[in-house]
Amino acid sequence: MRVLGINAIFHDPAAALVTDGAIVAAAEEERFTRRKHGKRPVPFSGWELPENAARWCLEETGLEPGDLDAVAYSYDPALVEPGLDGHDAHWERLRTLYALRAPNFLSTALPGLDPGIVRYVPHHVAHAASAALAAPGPGDGDVLVLDGRGESHSHLAGTYEGGDLTSLYAQRLPHSLGLMFEDLTEHLGFLRSSDEYKVMALASYGEPRFLHELREYVAATGDGGFRVAPIDWGSLVKARRPGGEWTRDHADVAASAQARLEEVLLDLASWLHGETGSRRLMLAGGVALNCVANSRLAEAGPYDDIWVQPAAGDAGTALGAALHVARDGGDPLTAMPGAGLGRRWDDHEIAGRLDTAKIPYERPDDLAAVVAGALARNEIVAWFQGPSEFGPRALGHRSLLAHPGYAGNIERLNDVKGREQFRPIAPMVALGHAPGIFEGPMPSPYMLFVHRVKPEWRARIPAVVHVDGTARIQTVDAGDEPLVARLLEEFRRRTGVPVLVNTSLNTAGRPMVDDPRDALECFGSAPVDLLAIGPYVVRREGVDAR
């Protein structure tokens, strides 16, 4: 079967293509439109489709819309119970109407598509499939989905056997751990459904002194579900003005919410494990992007093995919906080959973009050695290689790289990106060297867990050590990422350190760089010393000297 998956209804619109059970392409609409998260998560944006991402998926594989056997849409309007989450039922009906009209919208956006092949996949089933059906190795095991909301629920706990999902519990709205965290995100002056990771980062600067109060509002119910009572955040701490200074009170309430989230997740995982006895847990949904909570589950939870979908947010439901429909169609599925599922350019195409921009560039004999030398001199490098990543993490394809041995590089990179200074920057590390430097779940190829930095290494790599002594690492396997592995080895030869700073190649409020023009615009607007784009190198001094 040829199945196109579509996520559109809430936020992070995306498309993914599964052909004969293999994942062949996946991309988020934001990478094409350059609009962060694709759109805002409001009901009247529900009609907006990932048209560019969908067209690219088809073009990448030489398919026409009429060649598709099915389109899997990751939301089922038949399951909606208006007003459950406390929002105006009028807006909920509008969102549902848009979903019902999606087949016609899609056939307009993709001429030649038969609207009759569009299939609705429940939102949380799509999340679950994105984890279990894409996981490496046998897909059997438990699955836990937690996010803001789906049609009428905010959570699914189940188990997969032979590729089939058995749902054991689904938490009905308005109770939602994801919406609770979104409300706090907004109260702390950040953008809801976007900046929840900033609350996680801020939590490391505080103490959970409001934890007792939050335990009264948020609790597991012992039957697989949980309750979340309305929380008056203003009674705990004064709201922060967007862009304003944060205080210790703000950090403490963030730490309290983070701690309570972790406690409830452990309760939910323990209940699920008690029902099934499985040794493996697979996670998806926006809450699964909370790498601190994931690490707490790995360390204190009942499972031996935890796998997190790298595109765990709503974008990943495009992939999950396609896999679910392909599985129903009888196709044997293959595991996710990695996060590099997006657009790529060959050397000729990149050179053409550089020539058009009239930018001086060179093609070194050994790209990894040249870039490692620049990094060893404490230069900042924009790194644009191979296919773009699917999901929110830069994993060595669209990255800003720097030396981890200079503490000032935290402030330097946050200035380059226009970010808040309390936010950490992450390390990539050669897989073979990781256990000697970090403690935590390994391998960790997708930056979805935090690891303790061993004391003897903290002074050697201060730029990637967060205030709590942890780092959100990406382990690099030479078999999966040979060029990045070579770069790390060349850097180690020069410095004795097998670690590099790796943060996403973008500036604040902008999506990750996706195509060569994006890379050139970012390089031209930020104080980056060198751009390594495909086999070519663009140097700052060469551009400035034109």
Side-chain angles (χ1 to χ4, degrees), residues 390-414:
F390 183 53
R393 306 285 192 246
L395 301 168
H397 295 208
R398 304 289 186 270
S399 294
L400 280 169
L401 306 177
H403 197 311
Y406 296 91
N409 280 342
I410 301 174
E411 182 175 353
R412 189 179 172 200
L413 278 167
N414 280 332

Side-chain angles (χ1 to χ4, degrees), residues 184 187-188 210 232-239 247 249-250 253:
L184 177 58
H187 187 74
L188 291 178
F210 300 108
D232 179 6
W233 294 106
S235 68
L236 300 178
V237 60
K238 184 180 178 180
T247 67
D249 285 345
H250 295 132
V253 78

Side-chain angles (χ1 to χ4, degrees), residues 280-430:
R280 189 183 207 194
L281 178 65
M282 296 164 285
L283 299 174
V287 175
L289 292 173
N290 190 308
C291 53
V292 177
N294 293 344
S295 296
R296 180 82 181 275
L297 278 176
E299 185 173 85
Y303 291 93
D304 299 325
D305 176 32
I306 295 180
W307 190 80
V308 186
Q309 163 58 241
D314 273 9
T317 65
L319 176 60
L323 289 169
H324 179 79
V325 169
R327 172 72 179 80
D328 277 357
D331 283 348
L333 303 180
T334 56
M336 191 172 181
L341 296 169
R343 288 192 287 179
R344 69 174 75 223
W345 280 262
D346 63 31
D347 298 351
H348 178 72
E349 290 173 315
I350 293 173
R353 295 291 181 94
L354 294 171
D355 289 336
T356 299
K358 294 182 170 55
I359 288 179
Y361 63 94
E362 59 189 86
R363 183 170 186 158
D365 293 334
D366 190 337
L367 179 73
V370 168
V371 172
L375 291 165
R377 295 189 298 271
N378 200 26
E379 296 181 10
I380 294 177
V381 174
W383 178 261
F384 182 105
Q385 303 294 330
S388 61
E389 298 95 340
F390 183 53
R393 306 285 192 246
L395 301 168
H397 295 208
R398 304 289 186 270
S399 294
L400 280 169
L401 306 177
H403 197 311
Y406 296 91
N409 280 342
I410 301 174
E411 182 175 353
R412 189 179 172 200
L413 278 167
N414 280 332
D415 283 345
V416 166
K417 290 167 66 71
R419 306 191 327 169
E420 299 88 352
Q421 288 298 340
F422 66 80
R423 291 172 56 188
I425 50 178
M428 59 165 55
V429 56

Side-chain angles (χ1 to χ4, degrees), residues 175-195:
H175 304 284
S176 170
L177 294 172
L179 290 179
M180 179 270 288
F181 223 76
E182 285 186 21
D183 289 343
L184 177 58
T185 298
E186 188 171 49
H187 187 74
L188 291 178
F190 304 120
L191 187 62
R192 68 181 301 138
S193 294
S194 173
D195 292 347

Side-chain angles (χ1 to χ4, degrees), residues 7-14 37-41 45 182 193 313-315:
N7 170 61
I9 199 69
F10 291 120
H11 51 85
D12 295 298
H37 296 297
K39 60 181 180 180
R40 293 301 302 138
S45 72
E182 285 186 21
S193 294
D314 273 9

Side-chain angles (χ1 to χ4, degrees), residues 17 24 26 52 58 86 108 147 188 216 224 331 387 405 447 519:
L17 187 65
V24 295
N52 296 286
L58 295 174
T108 300
D147 63 3
L188 291 178
E216 297 297 316
D331 283 348
M447 284 188 176

Side-chain angles (χ1 to χ4, degrees), residues 108-194:
T108 300
L110 303 172
L113 177 72
D114 176 6
I117 67 170
V118 176
R119 291 182 54 182
Y120 294 112
V121 178
H123 187 72
H124 289 121
V125 171
H127 267 310
S130 79
L133 300 183
D140 289 356
D142 292 347
V143 63
L144 192 60
V145 172
L146 287 149
D147 63 3
R149 58 160 300 175
E151 295 86 357
S152 296
H153 296 81
S154 67
H155 150 270
L156 182 150
T159 190
Y160 271 86
E161 185 173 357
D164 294 326
L165 170 65
T166 299
S167 179
L168 299 175
Y169 197 95
Q171 179 58 58
R172 284 166 57 87
L173 294 167
H175 304 284
S176 170
L177 294 172
L179 290 179
M180 179 270 288
F181 223 76
E182 285 186 21
D183 289 343
L184 177 58
T185 298
E186 188 171 49
H187 187 74
L188 291 178
F190 304 120
L191 187 62
R192 68 181 301 138
S193 294
S194 173

